[in-house]
Amino acid sequence: MIKQENVAIVTLKKGEGRTIKAGGAWVFNNEIETITGRFHNGDLVIVHDFDGYPMGKGYINQNSKIRVRLLTRHVNQEIDESFFQMRLQNAWNYRKDTVDTSSCRLVFGEADFLPGIVIDKYEDVLVMECLTLGMERYKEQLANLMKQILQKDGIQIRGVYERSDAKEREKEGLSRVKGFIGAEFDTNVEITENGVRYMVDVVNGQKTGFFLDQKYNRLAVAKLSRGKRVLDCFTHTGSFGLNAAKGGAEYVLSVDISESAVEMAQKNAKANGLDGKVEYLAANVFDLLPKLSEGEMINRYGKFDFIILDPPAFTKSRQTVESAMRGYKEINLRAMRLLPRGGYLATCSCSHFMTEQLFVKMLHQAEADAGVSLRQIEARQQSPDHPILWNVEETNYLKFYLFQVV
């Protein structure tokens, strides 16, 4: 337990702290006037406004431009086991109310008031990602508390794996790490989502092993796929294509540049008895889309009346947004030109920096250049286990649209 008098005080400059005053959790390095008291990076500190008004308690790291991340608005609240148990229990209660919890995101950083921590549940396995120095010292405690909370609801977790191998850790002065938290276990985990079975590799898969945030968007695609010939671009482990096939698609061509992703997707198709409906191709989508309108390719793959675009994030910073816009426009323009009138397009972006306004602007430009009109069927976002906190804009990142091309 940390005594209040031993906690350093971070005082903001006059007029600064707009993010935390709006309900956010971050204090940036250029917003700080003074730091009074002794501390080590990763320690808890108290944040005061310029006039001494207490703003909250969080952890500090001078290696990061995000100098302080708040854990609580109450400066007298102890950051101890009871505190973390409360935060984790609240997160679990929310998921039980909002999503299928067989496989889901249990903790989503700032959106669950635990900045720097992500915990995903794949059936009976937990995968933890720790992105900040301040949470590094608590990660084992958090893993054990999460297991205890789930056990109370009759859910036995057989193992926890850490996937703290993201580049963001280097900004915190941390090395990238992967490994077991506790006893070792078989890290190939079979999950079922929307009635589709997948084998998830929590050690080598993207992010923590699987993209859980598109769960209900995949279901929306399945409902629209009956009788359609579907082109599934950037398929990764095959999820959108498999949902389309399960939804009654006549034929699905799923494409990814990664040979290993295609291999995993083929295994997932076979496990679901859908390998007769889904064909896989290892190719660069940017190169493939213009070729699919050529006679030889039409003879080989036929024409498509539903195209799904689920690319990786083309931008991870504001500096590369303009080039990302060109990339998004290129694939959407090509897809619109490839589809017949009355065909369907599912398109999305998972980049926070590609805002909804920019994404919509790009779609309008592609629509105009393709000489088509887009009839919106649905506008969707990430699934509720990746909650959007309105005063933390970074939690709002996934844009997903379903259109008919007319």
Side-chain angles (χ1 to χ4, degrees):
M1 190 173 287
I2 300 172
K3 292 183 179 180
Q4 186 85 355
E5 59 267 23
N6 295 331
V7 178
I9 305 292
V10 174
T11 302
L12 303 177
K13 295 176 182 175
K14 188 173 183 178
E16 296 292 353
R18 294 180 185 86
T19 299
I20 61 170
K21 288 172 185 175
W26 296 351
V27 177
F28 291 90
N29 59 342
N30 59 0
E31 296 182 301
I32 296 172
E33 182 70 48
T34 61
I35 303 176
T36 306
R38 298 175 64 183
F39 67 92
H40 297 288
N41 284 334
D43 282 355
L44 294 170
V45 296
I46 290 172
V47 177
H48 284 178
D49 204 357
F50 74 98
D51 57 0
Y53 183 84
M55 304 294 291
K57 182 187 285 187
Y59 55 83
I60 190 168
N61 186 357
Q62 291 190 301
N63 293 314
S64 173
K65 286 184 178 180
I66 303 172
R67 194 55 47 94
V68 180
R69 299 174 195 253
L70 291 188
L71 288 166
T72 177
R73 295 281 167 176
H74 306 292
V75 296
N76 294 317
Q77 186 164 27
E78 296 295 342
I79 308 301
D80 54 13
E81 184 172 297
S82 296
F83 170 82
F84 288 122
Q85 187 163 20
M86 175 268 295
R87 285 279 192 256
L88 293 173
Q89 186 68 59
N90 288 345
W92 173 236
N93 290 343
Y94 165 79
R95 269 71 181 182
K96 286 192 291 182
D97 286 342
T98 57
V99 293
D100 164 25
T101 58
S102 58
S103 293
C104 67
R105 177 150 293 182
L106 298 177
V107 176
F108 185 38
E110 282 78 358
D112 289 298
F113 310 102
L114 287 170
I117 284 289
V118 168
I119 304 176
D120 286 341
K121 175 181 177 289
Y122 298 108
E123 296 291 345
D124 58 354
V125 165
L126 299 183
V127 181
M128 173 177 280
E129 181 181 39
C130 177
L131 296 173
T132 58
L133 177 63
M135 296 305 279
E136 185 80 2
R137 62 184 65 180
Y138 301 116
K139 63 186 181 186
E140 290 185 17
Q141 182 182 34
L142 290 168
N144 290 329
L145 286 171
M146 194 77 253
K147 287 167 66 177
Q148 291 169 23
I149 288 168
L150 295 172
Q151 192 169 30
K152 288 177 187 176
D153 279 347
I155 300 169
Q156 191 69 36
I157 296 299
R158 66 181 170 92
V160 182
Y161 194 82
E162 181 178 6
R163 280 294 303 271
S164 301
D165 53 344
K167 192 175 182 181
E168 287 92 326
R169 278 175 64 92
E170 294 175 358
K171 298 175 184 177
E172 291 275 317
L174 294 167
S175 59
R176 304 190 206 183
V177 295
K178 291 168 68 172
F180 295 95
I181 296 178
E184 294 188 13
F185 57 93
D186 182 359
T187 55
N188 287 306
V189 187
E190 185 176 290
I191 70 168
T192 301
E193 179 195 86
N194 302 337
V196 180
R197 294 160 59 199
Y198 304 92
M199 187 60 71
V200 175
D201 179 356
V202 302
V203 176
N204 300 306
Q206 290 283 343
K207 300 292 185 179
T208 66
F210 189 76
F211 294 109
L212 294 163
D213 52 2
Q214 294 271 30
K215 179 184 298 187
Y216 298 116
N217 298 336
R218 290 190 270 262
L219 198 58
V221 161
K223 290 176 181 177
L224 197 58
S225 294
R226 181 164 297 281
K228 306 291 190 302
R229 293 182 56 81
V230 179
L231 175 61
D232 170 27
C233 299
F234 309 97
T235 192
H236 186 45
T237 52
S239 55
F240 271 109
L242 292 174
N243 274 264
K246 193 167 183 68
E250 176 189 316
Y251 167 77
V252 180
L253 176 63
S254 290
V255 183
D256 200 279
I257 197 169
S258 165
E259 295 272 4
S260 60
V262 165
E263 187 178 333
M264 179 64 83
Q266 287 172 324
K267 290 178 181 176
N268 286 330
K270 191 170 184 180
N272 287 277
L274 296 171
D275 44 327
K277 271 192 174 184
V278 187
E279 185 175 357
Y280 291 95
L281 178 64
N284 186 323
V285 170
F286 284 91
D287 296 334
L288 180 68
L289 284 174
K291 292 178 182 177
L292 285 173
S293 60
E294 298 172 1
E296 185 180 336
M297 296 294 274
I298 292 173
N299 291 336
R300 173 68 182 84
Y301 296 110
K303 294 184 177 181
F304 299 95
D305 43 21
F306 192 175
I307 297 178
I308 303 160
L309 301 174
D310 180 27
F314 288 166
T315 177
K316 294 186 178 181
S317 72
R318 288 185 175 84
Q319 288 71 38
T320 57
V321 165
E322 192 174 328
S323 62
M325 283 276 283
R326 290 194 294 270
Y328 285 115
K329 183 182 174 184
E330 172 70 13
I331 58 173
N332 280 276
L333 173 62
R334 293 290 184 182
M336 291 175 201
R337 285 178 173 169
L338 198 57
L339 284 166
R341 291 293 199 276
Y344 294 94
L345 173 67
T347 183
C348 57
S349 167
C350 60
S351 171
H352 156 67
F353 294 101
M354 176 58 63
T355 63
E356 186 172 0
Q357 291 79 11
L358 287 173
F359 195 64
V360 168
K361 179 182 177 182
M362 174 278 299
L363 287 170
H364 278 303
Q365 292 172 349
E367 171 190 40
D369 288 358
V372 301
S373 294
L374 295 177
R375 175 185 283 157
Q376 182 176 311
I377 302 166
E378 285 190 83
R380 305 178 62 88
Q381 295 175 292
Q382 64 248 39
S383 57
D385 53 340
H386 297 63
I388 297 168
L389 210 59
W390 274 32
N391 45 20
V392 181
E393 64 177 28
E394 290 77 15
T395 61
N396 186 2
Y397 67 94
L398 183 61
K399 285 73 59 183
F400 180 93
Y401 285 90
L402 271 175
F403 295 110
Q404 186 180 41
V405 176
V406 293

